């Protein structure tokens, strides 16, 4: 499960674990979009998701050196421009003062509510909330809300500055406020030996917290934090991220992430695509075409994929992959073609691709088909299908309709795979 790579599987396309990190682009699929522009589009997707939401960040003592703090301030400004409310939970008085100095003027931007007599008073007023004890109390909650009504950011400094009590306070506060996301900032980053486990759901956490399990996995020293995180999920927090302060931007704005994402339920759900998914799916397919992992298709062909396709979503709805089962053109042959099987995942291995393929096979069986087939130009894609029961066949083993107008050069490089149902 530990990975910082992405997985790409393509029916009549490609399979590559590292290509989305290297963003290799073939001459055939080269686009006017630069890598920087592509990253901007990915960031824009997440900023849209966070728009007008509340994010709570708890920063462990000792994790905010000047370099990491500078990067965080830039990320915070981007979020604030997107009308995101930020609640920062810190234990160190010095860090609270530094953050207050940097953000006080931003907290006075909106004076729609008559909280302050004038803008100058707003700039002078502290944006730090100090609860009376180690639990969120009603007076501190009221003060917190009054600050967020007047501006985009508030700093909360609970009485106990130690990391586990601080994380516990942050979880209780996040659950009480029902925030969109909680981020725990820890110098050790995500959980895992030698790197981060990219994703853990509550059922895995429960097993990990069994007698001796965390210790066997080399995570005994993080057992208290893992327990705090599980408590937060059970209390209703939709998702919790654990990362370093320097890795915050990548954790928030990319599929790849930099730490560990925790959610309550299974990370991956596969459902039929709906019209509200189409624009995002089109972007994903176009990306796969640009990078050479998917066959170039016309607008009409992409439209067919949209209306016959399924999408895999993770966590709170991030699109992790798509795949389609083309049936109509092969109806007389009682078969179907798996196309545009393309996943973008934070997880190691072929988990998302395998879940998508399983759902497509279920659909084929539901339709009473005798077989399915897929085509690819890459060995690793062929290996993926073979591992899941497909066998290599010749062109004559699939309907002739597949080859009408097919590119001869691509045909010579093609591996054809078929599964009897």
């Amino acid at each position: 499960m530990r990975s910082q790579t992405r997985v790409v599987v393509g029916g009549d396309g490609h399979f590559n674990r590292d290509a989305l990190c290297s963003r290799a682009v073939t001459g055939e699929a080269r686009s006017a979009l630069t890598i920087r522009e592509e990253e901007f589009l990915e960031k824009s997707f997440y900023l849209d998701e966070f728009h007008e939401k509340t994010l709570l960040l708890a920063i462990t003592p000792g994790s905010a050196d000047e370099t990491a703090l500078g990067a965080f301030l830039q990320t915070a400004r981007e979020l604030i421009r997107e009308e995101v409310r930020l609640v920062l939970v810190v234990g160190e008085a010095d860090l609270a003062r530094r953050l207050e100095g940097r953000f006080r003027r931003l907290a006075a931007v909106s004076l729609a509510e008559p909280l302050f007599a004038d803008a100058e008073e707003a700039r002078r007023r502290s944006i730090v909330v100090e609860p009376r004890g180690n639990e969120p109390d009603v007076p501190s909650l009221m003060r917190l809300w009054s600050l967020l009504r007047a501006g985009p950011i508030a700093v909360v400094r609970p009485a106990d500055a130690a990391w586990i009590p601080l994380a516990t306070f942050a979880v209780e506060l996040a659950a009480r406020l029902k925030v969109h996301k909680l981020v725990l900032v820890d110098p050790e980053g995500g959980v895992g030996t030698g790197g981060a486990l990219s994703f853990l759901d509550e059922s895995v956490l429960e097993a990990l917290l069994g007698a001796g399990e965390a210790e066997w996995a080399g995570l005994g020293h993080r057992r208290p934090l893992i327990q705090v995180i599980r408590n937060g999920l059970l209390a209703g927090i939709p998702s919790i991220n654990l990362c370093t302060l320097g890795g915050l931007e990548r954790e928030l704005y990319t599929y790849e992430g930099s730490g560990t994402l925790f959610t309550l339920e299974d990370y991956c759900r596969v459902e039929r695509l709906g019209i509200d998914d189409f624009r995002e799916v089109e972007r994903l397919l176009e990306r796969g075409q640009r990078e050479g992992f998917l066959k170039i298709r016309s607008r009409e062909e992409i439209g067919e994929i949209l209306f016959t396709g399924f999408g895999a979503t993770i966590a709170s709805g991030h699109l992790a992959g798509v795949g389609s089962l083309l049936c109509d053109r092969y109806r007389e042959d009682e078969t179907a073609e798996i196309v545009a099987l393309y996943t973008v995942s934070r997880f190691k291995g072929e988990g998302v691709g395998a879940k998508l393929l399983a759902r497509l096979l279920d659909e084929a069986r539901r339709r009473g088909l005798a077989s399915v087939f897929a085509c690819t130009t890459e060995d690793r894609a062929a290996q993926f299908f073979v591992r899941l029961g497909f066998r290599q066949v010749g062109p004559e083993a699939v309907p002739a309709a597949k080859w009408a107008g097919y590119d001869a050069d691509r045909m010579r490089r093609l591996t054809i795979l078929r599964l009897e149902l």
Side-chain angles (χ1 to χ4, degrees):
M1 293 176 66
R2 177 172 56 83
S3 176
Q4 298 302 327
T5 65
R6 304 180 190 176
V7 180
V8 181
V9 179
D12 210 355
H14 298 266
F15 171 86
N16 195 306
R17 294 190 181 188
D18 304 309
L20 283 182
C21 294
S22 62
R23 299 188 182 272
V25 181
T26 66
E28 177 187 30
R30 189 173 299 278
S31 166
L33 282 180
T34 65
I35 292 175
R36 185 178 297 276
E37 288 169 329
E38 181 67 31
E39 291 172 346
F40 172 78
L41 290 176
E42 190 169 9
K43 178 184 287 190
S44 296
F45 168 76
Y46 285 102
L47 285 172
D48 286 345
E49 179 195 344
F50 298 149
H51 180 66
E52 294 186 337
K53 300 292 197 309
T54 300
L55 272 59
L56 193 152
L57 284 78
I59 305 175
T60 184
S63 63
D65 59 48
E66 282 303 318
T67 300
L69 185 59
F72 164 67
L73 293 173
Q74 178 59 38
T75 300
R77 291 187 186 98
E78 291 173 342
L79 291 167
I80 289 168
R81 282 196 294 270
E82 199 58 39
E83 299 182 63
V84 175
R85 290 180 292 269
L86 291 177
V87 178
L88 309 179
V89 176
V90 300
E92 299 169 304
D94 178 63
L95 179 58
R97 285 193 296 270
R98 289 160 68 195
L99 291 171
E100 180 179 25
R102 303 287 184 99
F103 286 119
R104 183 185 287 130
R105 276 183 285 181
L106 287 172
V109 168
S110 172
L111 294 175
E113 298 291 341
L115 180 63
F116 305 119
D118 54 42
E120 185 58 35
E121 181 183 348
R123 293 187 184 95
R124 288 196 305 268
R125 180 141 177 189
S126 173
I127 62 169
V128 177
V129 179
E130 295 185 334
R132 296 172 182 170
N134 292 324
E135 296 180 359
D137 57 88
V138 173
S140 65
L141 291 172
M142 292 173 61
R143 166 140 173 83
L144 175 63
W145 175 233
S146 72
L147 290 173
L148 293 177
R149 289 174 71 187
I153 193 164
V155 179
V156 181
R157 191 167 75 86
D160 195 333
W163 179 221
I164 296 304
L166 189 73
T168 300
F169 177 92
V171 161
E172 293 174 355
L173 181 59
R176 184 73 177 270
L177 297 176
K178 299 187 72 172
V179 299
H180 179 71
K181 179 182 286 294
L182 167 64
V183 181
L184 299 177
V185 174
D186 189 318
E188 196 171 339
V191 300
T193 303
L197 293 168
S198 295
F199 178 90
L200 292 174
D201 64 31
E202 187 276 328
S203 63
V204 177
L205 290 184
E206 182 181 21
L208 190 59
L209 289 167
E213 292 296 326
E215 290 71 18
W216 181 84
L219 297 171
H221 67 295
R222 305 197 88 182
R223 176 183 284 273
L225 181 60
I226 293 169
Q227 182 64 66
V228 169
I229 291 170
R230 180 170 183 254
N231 292 344
L233 296 176
L234 294 174
I237 301 172
S239 64
I240 301 175
N241 297 74
L242 179 65
C243 65
T244 64
L245 192 60
L248 178 65
E249 181 180 30
R250 187 152 58 95
E251 181 70 8
L252 289 180
Y253 295 154
T254 69
Y255 286 108
E256 181 186 44
S258 67
T260 303
L261 171 67
F262 302 86
T263 58
L264 184 63
E265 298 177 346
D266 187 6
Y267 74 91
C268 185
R269 300 180 303 280
V270 179
E271 299 172 326
R272 187 176 291 279
L273 296 174
I275 193 168
D276 289 338
D277 304 315
F278 286 0
R279 288 187 63 187
E280 187 180 352
V281 172
E282 285 179 333
R283 289 198 298 266
L284 190 59
L285 294 177
E286 288 165 0
R287 177 191 205 161
Q289 291 178 162
R290 285 196 303 272
E291 296 180 336
F293 306 129
L294 293 179
K295 174 185 173 182
I296 301 295
R297 288 184 167 86
S298 67
R299 185 176 296 276
E300 290 72 22
E301 288 174 320
I302 290 179
E304 185 178 15
I305 289 170
L306 295 176
F307 283 101
T308 59
F310 293 81
T313 56
I314 57 174
S316 58
H318 303 310
L319 182 68
V322 295
S324 180
L325 190 70
L326 299 184
C327 302
D328 289 350
R329 67 183 69 175
Y330 309 120
R331 184 174 301 170
E332 293 182 359
D333 300 277
E334 296 185 340
T335 191
E337 182 182 9
I338 294 170
V339 300
L341 185 58
Y342 181 89
T343 73
V344 181
S345 174
R346 303 183 62 187
F347 320 118
K348 183 179 181 180
E350 298 83 27
V352 175
K355 283 177 180 288
L356 274 164
L357 182 57
R359 181 65 181 85
L360 295 173
L361 296 179
D362 286 344
E363 177 66 13
R365 294 186 180 98
R366 187 188 70 79
R367 290 172 174 264
L369 300 179
S371 66
V372 295
F373 68 95
C375 302
T376 179
T377 58
E378 287 291 320
D379 289 342
R380 281 179 289 184
Q383 292 166 13
F384 167 79
F385 286 108
V386 168
R387 283 198 302 273
L388 295 175
F390 285 69
R391 63 183 180 88
Q392 186 172 345
V393 297
E396 71 284 349
V398 301
K402 166 65 181 175
W403 312 120
Y406 202 87
D407 179 75
D409 178 64
R410 185 177 179 85
M411 181 72 170
R412 285 190 290 270
R413 298 181 286 114
L414 207 61
T415 299
I416 307 162
L417 302 116
R418 179 181 168 113
L419 178 69
E420 306 297 327
L421 298 175

